């Protein structure tokens, strides 16, 4: 049985890795520019992991499936998304599947901005972010919530200041 690693979704104009076979939303606001993404999968186990990854278009249709590949014990695999032959430029979500415990990180950047996020193995109903920036020394935060189910969900976002008060 394979262990699936779901990756958070970000909306990008060139290429994207994210998490889950659910369709990425084309209506999510994000920084402008042409983005390129890369992801690293780290094998956390003491044995070789066999992995593959899949990309899904904005309709949730599989757009690309990699061949199976191995990652040695405690090793890693780096993939630069724009250099994947057969994957057209566009907006995608993605899913990594491995037969061992892995961890993953995604990096995305344009000429004007960039960001990183890690993958999640399990989804949940409550998620806490340790910080959020609004033009704090020219840093801004972008949060994207992905529904990893096939049913509609309601989302509530609360911004809590350092005193514990809900401010937005």
């Amino acid at each position: 049985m394979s262990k699936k690693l779901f990756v958070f979704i970000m909306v990008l104009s060139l290429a994207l890795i994210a998490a889950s076979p659910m369709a990425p939303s084309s209506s999510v606001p994000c920084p402008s520019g042409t983005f390129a993404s890369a992801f690293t999968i780290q094998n956390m186990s003491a044995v070789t992991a066999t992995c593959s990854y899949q990309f899904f278009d904005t309709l949730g249709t599989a757009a690309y499936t990699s061949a199976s590949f191995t990652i040695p014990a405690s090793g890693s695999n780096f993939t630069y998304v724009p250099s994947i032959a057969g994957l057209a430029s566009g907006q995608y979500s993605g899913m990594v599947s491995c037969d061992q415990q892995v961890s993953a990180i995604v990096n995305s950047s344009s000429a004007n901005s960039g960001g990183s996020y890690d993958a999640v193995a399990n989804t949940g109903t409550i998620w806490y972010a340790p910080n959020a920036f609004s033009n704090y020394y020219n840093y801004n935060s972008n949060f994207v919530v992905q529904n990893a189910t096939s049913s509609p969900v309601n989302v509530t976002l609360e911004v809590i200041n350092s005193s514990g008060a809900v401010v937005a």
Side-chain angles (χ1 to χ4, degrees):
M1 174 179 352
S2 80
K3 295 181 181 178
K4 294 189 179 192
L5 182 64
F6 293 102
V7 187
F8 283 126
I9 186 170
M10 289 183 68
V11 178
L12 306 176
S13 58
L14 176 61
L16 171 78
I17 179 70
S20 162
M22 305 312 292
S25 171
S26 59
S27 64
V28 176
C30 66
S32 62
T34 300
F35 280 78
S37 298
F39 61 98
T40 301
I41 305 167
Q42 175 73 43
N43 183 354
M44 307 300 287
S45 72
V47 298
T48 298
T50 300
C51 301
S52 66
Y53 54 85
Q54 235 181 334
F55 288 92
F56 301 87
D57 66 18
T58 58
L59 300 175
T61 304
Y64 179 86
T65 301
S66 75
S68 291
F69 57 94
T70 59
I71 303 174
S74 301
S76 64
N77 175 274
F78 174 82
T79 301
Y80 181 62
V81 176
S83 56
I84 297 173
L87 181 65
S89 293
Q91 177 183 327
Y92 298 95
S93 63
M95 182 174 64
V96 173
S97 298
C98 296
D99 64 357
Q100 299 297 318
Q101 181 181 2
V102 297
S103 180
I105 188 165
V106 179
N107 297 296
S108 297
S109 64
S110 72
N112 299 316
S113 65
S116 297
Y117 56 97
D118 59 351
V120 294
N122 299 301
T123 60
T125 57
I126 297 176
W127 183 69
Y128 295 96
N131 56 43
F133 300 121
S134 177
N135 201 26
Y136 180 74
Y137 293 97
N138 293 322
Y139 287 98
N140 293 290
S141 299
N142 184 32
F143 294 98
V144 178
V145 178
Q146 181 177 359
N147 179 2
T149 72
S150 59
S151 301
V153 296
N154 293 318
V155 176
T156 301
L157 173 67
E158 291 182 336
V159 178
I160 302 169
N161 68 15
S162 59
S163 300
V166 175
V167 295

